[in-house]
Amino acid sequence: MTEETSKDPTVVPSGITMRGLSEIQSSLTQDGKIPEGLILGFHSNDPQTRKLAVTIIRKILQIPGPHAIQPVIDTGLVPALVALLDSEDTYLQLLTAPKSEATWIVTNIASGTTAQTGRVVEAGAIPKLVRLSESPSDYASLNAIWALRNIVGDSPSLRDRVEDAGGIDALQIHLDEATTDVDKESIACAIQSLSRILDRGLKRSEFIETGVVPRLVHLVANSSSSASIQKRALKCIGYLVNGDDHDTDAAVDAGLVPALLVPVEATDEELCKLALWNASNIAAGSQSQVYALLNCGLLTPTVRILINEQCSPRCRREACWTVSNLAAKVSGDVKVGQAFLEGGCVEGLAAGILIPDRKAKEIAVLGITKILEWQDSESPGSEVGVSLSAAIQSSSWPQNLRVTRDSCELRDRLRKDCQTLLTRWFPEYKIPAYLTADEKIPKALLRAFYSNDLQIRCIAVTKIRTIQAVQPVIDALLVPSLVSLLDSEDAGLQ
């Protein structure tokens, strides 16, 4: 009589037991492959065994580095893994669990190479992810957005497939006000996905048609938005205002200009810089766009940042761009001219010349040039023209232009531009002045004299030679060093 054996309920038809599966480590084999038992477990008819196999695959894909993606692809499981996004099993699809197993797996595979990302796309992941991005489960929707972000950032062709599947419409749903940390993460991820889509060449007109611009502007204006979210939103909007007037109108009409008042006052340097960058592009736009900037009071904090030496040079440079762009709009527009005058833009440009940033200096000189050229062409006696002329005469434009022209650190065309302005409009300042108000040699000139750069040192020696006073040179203790130059082999220093 054959001995009857009891059936182990944990043995599944695939030949792998729950106990055996649980002993498989969340790592690749020594030859870099997915353990065979894990594949058997995934194909099991036992739900618990299959769930455990899916969890272990997800953990393997979370190992730092991209080396785990290809072994999972080599198992041939990708279509089945993508199919889990439609699973009615809430664990496998994970609409409620803390970590969405199926969407986590697809997200990680989509973070690989173009070929690897293409495998999940060809398995039909995009429409499933778009659907899951609208899931009532915060975690499932967040992971779906992460996966879509990885796909759209891979290539233009995959970006187009996400767009065709309604991905942009799905992403903008997540740009509403956040109430939880997961909401905030969803918003940040959705904006980053949109940014990647824009980077891949989405037409501005198509971007406007999605209707996402007002939502982005709302995030910028909302002081409760994190700095990270505001920065990403400003980068997306910046893509529009960097286009033509029609594109910029879409952002301005959505309320961008008053919204910029929030980030422009931020202590976060990058956030403030992005806000001013958007403002400078608006200032270069149409009359209605410039008026919107003036009407909302954005010029006041812009000039304050430009003048404040404690502010970041990067922020001051963007503020200088805004004022310089406005300078080009003064001609023929009384309202802009009056705002330029009353807003302190004259002294703002004077401060811009002294910003320790070569590009900022160039921008300030450009704005000053525009105003001076307009002044020459302005009808004599106009109220704005007379007031602006008086403001220029009492400003520090000529002094600061002379300081820049005489700088030892600048060797390019900027010094020549400053000299041109001084010769034409401020001839009394064209003669070099290398002493401070208290008749001392400037520290910058002393640093240049002791520089290891021979060319800079030669320029400094030449400037010291032109000083029409002996005592400041003696007081600066330069005499011994100057005498030693007589032994120099460099003819320029001698």
Side-chain angles (χ1 to χ4, degrees), residues 88-130:
E88 295 182 359
D89 188 306
T90 56
Y91 182 88
L92 292 176
Q93 185 189 40
L94 243 71
L95 295 178
T96 57
K99 291 186 176 179
S100 304
E101 304 295 338
T103 48
W104 259 113
I105 289 171
V106 172
T107 298
N108 285 322
I109 296 175
S111 68
T113 65
T114 297
Q116 291 168 341
T117 303
R119 296 298 289 268
V120 296
V121 172
E122 294 306 321
I126 291 178
K128 300 178 191 298
L129 290 169
V130 170

Short mmCIF file of all heavy atoms in Angstrom, two decimals, residues 88-130:
data_model
loop_
_atom_site.label_atom_id
_atom_site.label_comp_id
_atom_site.label_asym_id
_atom_site.label_seq_id
_atom_site.Cartn_x
_atom_site.Cartn_y
_atom_site.Cartn_z
N GLU A 88 -6.17 44.13 -10.51
CA GLU A 88 -7.22 44.45 -9.55
C GLU A 88 -6.74 44.20 -8.12
O GLU A 88 -7.41 44.57 -7.16
CB GLU A 88 -8.46 43.61 -9.84
CG GLU A 88 -9.11 43.94 -11.19
CD GLU A 88 -10.36 43.12 -11.43
OE1 GLU A 88 -10.71 42.30 -10.56
OE2 GLU A 88 -10.99 43.30 -12.49
N ASP A 89 -5.59 43.56 -8.00
CA ASP A 89 -5.02 43.32 -6.68
C ASP A 89 -4.40 44.62 -6.19
O ASP A 89 -3.45 45.13 -6.77
CB ASP A 89 -3.94 42.23 -6.76
CG ASP A 89 -3.46 41.80 -5.37
OD1 ASP A 89 -3.06 42.70 -4.61
OD2 ASP A 89 -3.48 40.60 -5.08
N THR A 90 -4.93 45.18 -5.14
CA THR A 90 -4.46 46.48 -4.67
C THR A 90 -3.03 46.45 -4.15
O THR A 90 -2.40 47.48 -4.00
CB THR A 90 -5.37 47.03 -3.56
OG1 THR A 90 -5.44 46.07 -2.50
CG2 THR A 90 -6.76 47.32 -4.08
N TYR A 91 -2.52 45.25 -3.87
CA TYR A 91 -1.12 45.18 -3.45
C TYR A 91 -0.21 45.21 -4.66
O TYR A 91 0.76 45.96 -4.72
CB TYR A 91 -0.85 43.91 -2.63
CG TYR A 91 0.59 43.85 -2.14
CD1 TYR A 91 0.95 44.44 -0.94
CD2 TYR A 91 1.58 43.23 -2.90
CE1 TYR A 91 2.26 44.42 -0.49
CE2 TYR A 91 2.89 43.20 -2.46
CZ TYR A 91 3.23 43.79 -1.26
OH TYR A 91 4.52 43.77 -0.84
N LEU A 92 -0.54 44.38 -5.66
CA LEU A 92 0.32 44.34 -6.84
C LEU A 92 0.30 45.67 -7.58
O LEU A 92 1.30 46.15 -8.08
CB LEU A 92 -0.12 43.20 -7.77
CG LEU A 92 0.11 41.78 -7.21
CD1 LEU A 92 -0.45 40.75 -8.17
CD2 LEU A 92 1.59 41.52 -6.97
N GLN A 93 -0.90 46.25 -7.65
CA GLN A 93 -0.99 47.56 -8.29
C GLN A 93 -0.61 48.63 -7.27
O GLN A 93 -0.08 49.67 -7.60
CB GLN A 93 -2.42 47.78 -8.79
CG GLN A 93 -2.61 49.06 -9.58
CD GLN A 93 -4.05 49.32 -9.87
OE1 GLN A 93 -4.89 49.10 -9.01
NE2 GLN A 93 -4.36 49.79 -11.05
N LEU A 94 -0.93 48.29 -6.03
CA LEU A 94 -0.63 49.13 -4.87
C LEU A 94 -1.21 50.53 -4.96
O LEU A 94 -0.51 51.51 -5.08
CB LEU A 94 0.87 49.20 -4.61
CG LEU A 94 1.16 48.59 -3.23
CD1 LEU A 94 0.98 47.12 -3.22
CD2 LEU A 94 2.47 48.99 -2.73
N LEU A 95 -2.52 50.57 -4.88
CA LEU A 95 -3.19 51.87 -4.85
C LEU A 95 -3.22 52.42 -3.42
O LEU A 95 -3.48 53.59 -3.22
CB LEU A 95 -4.62 51.74 -5.37
CG LEU A 95 -4.73 51.34 -6.86
CD1 LEU A 95 -6.19 51.21 -7.24
CD2 LEU A 95 -4.03 52.34 -7.74
N THR A 96 -2.98 51.59 -2.44
CA THR A 96 -3.11 52.06 -1.06
C THR A 96 -1.87 51.81 -0.23
O THR A 96 -1.68 52.44 0.80
CB THR A 96 -4.30 51.36 -0.36
OG1 THR A 96 -4.10 49.94 -0.43
CG2 THR A 96 -5.60 51.72 -1.04
N ALA A 97 -0.99 50.90 -0.64
CA ALA A 97 0.16 50.58 0.18
C ALA A 97 1.18 51.71 0.17
O ALA A 97 1.20 52.51 -0.76
CB ALA A 97 0.81 49.29 -0.30
N PRO A 98 2.06 51.76 1.18
CA PRO A 98 3.03 52.85 1.27
C PRO A 98 3.95 52.95 0.07
O PRO A 98 4.43 54.01 -0.26
CB PRO A 98 3.81 52.50 2.55
CG PRO A 98 2.86 51.69 3.36
CD PRO A 98 2.08 50.90 2.37
N LYS A 99 4.25 51.87 -0.57
CA LYS A 99 5.10 51.92 -1.76
C LYS A 99 4.40 51.18 -2.89
O LYS A 99 4.04 50.01 -2.76
CB LYS A 99 6.48 51.31 -1.48
CG LYS A 99 7.32 52.15 -0.53
CD LYS A 99 8.72 51.59 -0.40
CE LYS A 99 9.59 52.48 0.49
NZ LYS A 99 10.95 51.95 0.65
N SER A 100 4.24 51.83 -4.00
CA SER A 100 3.52 51.23 -5.12
C SER A 100 4.45 50.29 -5.86
O SER A 100 5.29 50.74 -6.63
CB SER A 100 3.00 52.33 -6.05
OG SER A 100 2.20 53.22 -5.33
N GLU A 101 4.30 48.99 -5.62
CA GLU A 101 5.23 48.02 -6.18
C GLU A 101 5.32 48.10 -7.70
O GLU A 101 6.41 48.23 -8.27
CB GLU A 101 4.83 46.60 -5.74
CG GLU A 101 4.73 46.40 -4.24
CD GLU A 101 6.07 46.54 -3.54
OE1 GLU A 101 7.12 46.38 -4.18
OE2 GLU A 101 6.07 46.83 -2.33
N ALA A 102 4.18 48.00 -8.37
CA ALA A 102 4.21 47.97 -9.84
C ALA A 102 4.72 49.28 -10.41
O ALA A 102 5.57 49.29 -11.32
CB ALA A 102 2.82 47.66 -10.38
N THR A 103 4.22 50.40 -9.90
CA THR A 103 4.66 51.69 -10.44
C THR A 103 6.11 51.98 -10.06
O THR A 103 6.84 52.60 -10.82
CB THR A 103 3.75 52.83 -9.94
OG1 THR A 103 3.57 52.73 -8.53
CG2 THR A 103 2.41 52.78 -10.63
N TRP A 104 6.54 51.52 -8.87
CA TRP A 104 7.94 51.67 -8.49
C TRP A 104 8.84 50.93 -9.48
O TRP A 104 9.88 51.43 -9.91
CB TRP A 104 8.18 51.11 -7.08
CG TRP A 104 8.25 52.14 -5.99
CD1 TRP A 104 7.38 52.32 -4.97
CD2 TRP A 104 9.27 53.13 -5.81
NE1 TRP A 104 7.77 53.35 -4.17
CE2 TRP A 104 8.93 53.88 -4.66
CE3 TRP A 104 10.42 53.47 -6.51
CZ2 TRP A 104 9.70 54.92 -4.19
CZ3 TRP A 104 11.20 54.52 -6.04
CH2 TRP A 104 10.83 55.24 -4.90
N ILE A 105 8.44 49.71 -9.82
CA ILE A 105 9.25 48.89 -10.74
C ILE A 105 9.34 49.56 -12.11
O ILE A 105 10.42 49.70 -12.68
CB ILE A 105 8.64 47.48 -10.85
CG1 ILE A 105 8.87 46.71 -9.55
CG2 ILE A 105 9.25 46.71 -12.03
CD1 ILE A 105 8.12 45.39 -9.46
N VAL A 106 8.20 49.99 -12.63
CA VAL A 106 8.19 50.63 -13.95
C VAL A 106 8.98 51.93 -13.92
O VAL A 106 9.73 52.25 -14.85
CB VAL A 106 6.73 50.88 -14.41
CG1 VAL A 106 6.71 51.72 -15.69
CG2 VAL A 106 6.01 49.56 -14.65
N THR A 107 8.86 52.69 -12.83
CA THR A 107 9.61 53.95 -12.69
C THR A 107 11.11 53.70 -12.75
O THR A 107 11.85 54.41 -13.43
CB THR A 107 9.25 54.64 -11.37
OG1 THR A 107 7.87 54.96 -11.36
CG2 THR A 107 10.05 55.91 -11.19
N ASN A 108 11.55 52.68 -12.03
CA ASN A 108 12.98 52.40 -11.99
C ASN A 108 13.52 51.91 -13.33
O ASN A 108 14.61 52.29 -13.75
CB ASN A 108 13.29 51.37 -10.89
CG ASN A 108 13.23 51.98 -9.50
OD1 ASN A 108 13.64 53.11 -9.29
ND2 ASN A 108 12.70 51.23 -8.54
N ILE A 109 12.76 51.09 -14.02
CA ILE A 109 13.21 50.63 -15.34
C ILE A 109 13.25 51.81 -16.31
O ILE A 109 14.18 51.93 -17.13
CB ILE A 109 12.28 49.51 -15.87
CG1 ILE A 109 12.37 48.28 -14.97
CG2 ILE A 109 12.67 49.13 -17.30
CD1 ILE A 109 11.41 47.17 -15.34
N ALA A 110 12.27 52.71 -16.20
CA ALA A 110 12.22 53.87 -17.10
C ALA A 110 13.31 54.88 -16.82
O ALA A 110 13.51 55.82 -17.59
CB ALA A 110 10.85 54.55 -16.99
N SER A 111 14.05 54.70 -15.73
CA SER A 111 15.15 55.62 -15.42
C SER A 111 16.45 55.18 -16.06
O SER A 111 17.48 55.83 -15.89
CB SER A 111 15.35 55.71 -13.90
OG SER A 111 15.84 54.48 -13.38
N GLY A 112 16.42 54.09 -16.81
CA GLY A 112 17.63 53.56 -17.42
C GLY A 112 17.96 54.20 -18.75
O GLY A 112 17.61 55.36 -19.02
N THR A 113 18.61 53.45 -19.61
CA THR A 113 18.99 53.96 -20.93
C THR A 113 17.76 54.12 -21.81
O THR A 113 16.66 53.67 -21.46
CB THR A 113 19.97 52.98 -21.61
OG1 THR A 113 19.28 51.74 -21.86
CG2 THR A 113 21.19 52.72 -20.74
N THR A 114 17.96 54.73 -22.97
CA THR A 114 16.85 54.90 -23.90
C THR A 114 16.25 53.55 -24.30
O THR A 114 15.03 53.39 -24.37
CB THR A 114 17.32 55.66 -25.15
OG1 THR A 114 17.74 56.97 -24.77
CG2 THR A 114 16.20 55.79 -26.18
N ALA A 115 17.12 52.58 -24.54
CA ALA A 115 16.63 51.25 -24.93
C ALA A 115 15.84 50.61 -23.79
O ALA A 115 14.80 49.97 -24.03
CB ALA A 115 17.82 50.36 -25.32
N GLN A 116 16.32 50.77 -22.55
CA GLN A 116 15.62 50.19 -21.41
C GLN A 116 14.29 50.88 -21.16
O GLN A 116 13.28 50.23 -20.89
CB GLN A 116 16.52 50.28 -20.17
CG GLN A 116 17.73 49.37 -20.26
CD GLN A 116 18.77 49.66 -19.19
OE1 GLN A 116 18.79 50.74 -18.59
NE2 GLN A 116 19.66 48.70 -18.94
N THR A 117 14.29 52.22 -21.26
CA THR A 117 13.03 52.95 -21.12
C THR A 117 12.04 52.54 -22.20
O THR A 117 10.83 52.39 -21.95
CB THR A 117 13.28 54.47 -21.21
OG1 THR A 117 14.22 54.85 -20.21
CG2 THR A 117 12.00 55.26 -21.00
N GLY A 118 12.57 52.30 -23.41
CA GLY A 118 11.72 51.88 -24.52
C GLY A 118 11.02 50.56 -24.27
O GLY A 118 9.92 50.33 -24.79
N ARG A 119 11.62 49.69 -23.44
CA ARG A 119 10.99 48.39 -23.18
C ARG A 119 9.68 48.55 -22.41
O ARG A 119 8.70 47.85 -22.70
CB ARG A 119 11.96 47.49 -22.41
CG ARG A 119 13.22 47.14 -23.18
CD ARG A 119 12.92 46.35 -24.44
NE ARG A 119 12.48 45.01 -24.16
CZ ARG A 119 13.28 43.95 -24.07
NH1 ARG A 119 14.59 44.11 -24.22
NH2 ARG A 119 12.79 42.75 -23.82
N VAL A 120 9.65 49.45 -21.43
CA VAL A 120 8.39 49.63 -20.69
C VAL A 120 7.37 50.38 -21.54
O VAL A 120 6.16 50.14 -21.44
CB VAL A 120 8.61 50.37 -19.36
CG1 VAL A 120 9.47 49.56 -18.43
CG2 VAL A 120 9.21 51.74 -19.57
N VAL A 121 7.87 51.25 -22.41
CA VAL A 121 6.94 51.98 -23.30
C VAL A 121 6.31 51.01 -24.29
O VAL A 121 5.09 51.04 -24.51
CB VAL A 121 7.70 53.11 -24.05
CG1 VAL A 121 6.79 53.74 -25.11
CG2 VAL A 121 8.15 54.17 -23.07
N GLU A 122 7.11 50.16 -24.89
CA GLU A 122 6.59 49.19 -25.86
C GLU A 122 5.65 48.18 -25.21
O GLU A 122 4.80 47.59 -25.87
CB GLU A 122 7.74 48.46 -26.55
CG GLU A 122 8.61 49.35 -27.43
CD GLU A 122 7.79 50.13 -28.45
OE1 GLU A 122 6.84 49.55 -29.01
OE2 GLU A 122 8.10 51.32 -28.67
N ALA A 123 5.81 48.00 -23.90
CA ALA A 123 4.91 47.08 -23.18
C ALA A 123 3.59 47.74 -22.84
O ALA A 123 2.72 47.12 -22.20
CB ALA A 123 5.60 46.58 -21.91
N GLY A 124 3.42 49.02 -23.26
CA GLY A 124 2.14 49.71 -23.05
C GLY A 124 2.03 50.47 -21.76
O GLY A 124 0.93 50.70 -21.25
N ALA A 125 3.19 50.92 -21.22
CA ALA A 125 3.16 51.56 -19.90
C ALA A 125 2.54 52.95 -19.91
O ALA A 125 1.90 53.36 -18.93
CB ALA A 125 4.58 51.64 -19.34
N ILE A 126 2.73 53.72 -21.00
CA ILE A 126 2.33 55.13 -20.96
C ILE A 126 0.86 55.34 -20.66
O ILE A 126 0.50 56.07 -19.73
CB ILE A 126 2.75 55.83 -22.28
CG1 ILE A 126 4.27 55.95 -22.35
CG2 ILE A 126 2.12 57.22 -22.36
CD1 ILE A 126 4.79 56.58 -23.62
N PRO A 127 -0.08 54.75 -21.42
CA PRO A 127 -1.50 55.00 -21.09
C PRO A 127 -1.88 54.51 -19.70
O PRO A 127 -2.73 55.12 -19.03
CB PRO A 127 -2.26 54.23 -22.19
CG PRO A 127 -1.27 53.24 -22.74
CD PRO A 127 0.05 53.90 -22.61
N LYS A 128 -1.25 53.45 -19.24
CA LYS A 128 -1.55 52.94 -17.90
C LYS A 128 -1.06 53.93 -16.84
O LYS A 128 -1.73 54.17 -15.83
CB LYS A 128 -0.88 51.57 -17.70
CG LYS A 128 -1.34 50.49 -18.68
CD LYS A 128 -0.59 49.19 -18.43
CE LYS A 128 -0.81 48.17 -19.55
NZ LYS A 128 -2.21 47.77 -19.68
N LEU A 129 0.14 54.51 -17.07
CA LEU A 129 0.69 55.48 -16.12
C LEU A 129 -0.14 56.76 -16.11
O LEU A 129 -0.33 57.37 -15.06
CB LEU A 129 2.14 55.78 -16.47
CG LEU A 129 3.14 54.64 -16.23
CD1 LEU A 129 4.49 54.97 -16.86
CD2 LEU A 129 3.30 54.37 -14.74
N VAL A 130 -0.59 57.19 -17.28
CA VAL A 130 -1.43 58.39 -17.35
C VAL A 130 -2.70 58.16 -16.53
O VAL A 130 -3.14 59.04 -15.77
CB VAL A 130 -1.77 58.73 -18.81
CG1 VAL A 130 -2.85 59.81 -18.87
CG2 VAL A 130 -0.52 59.20 -19.56
#
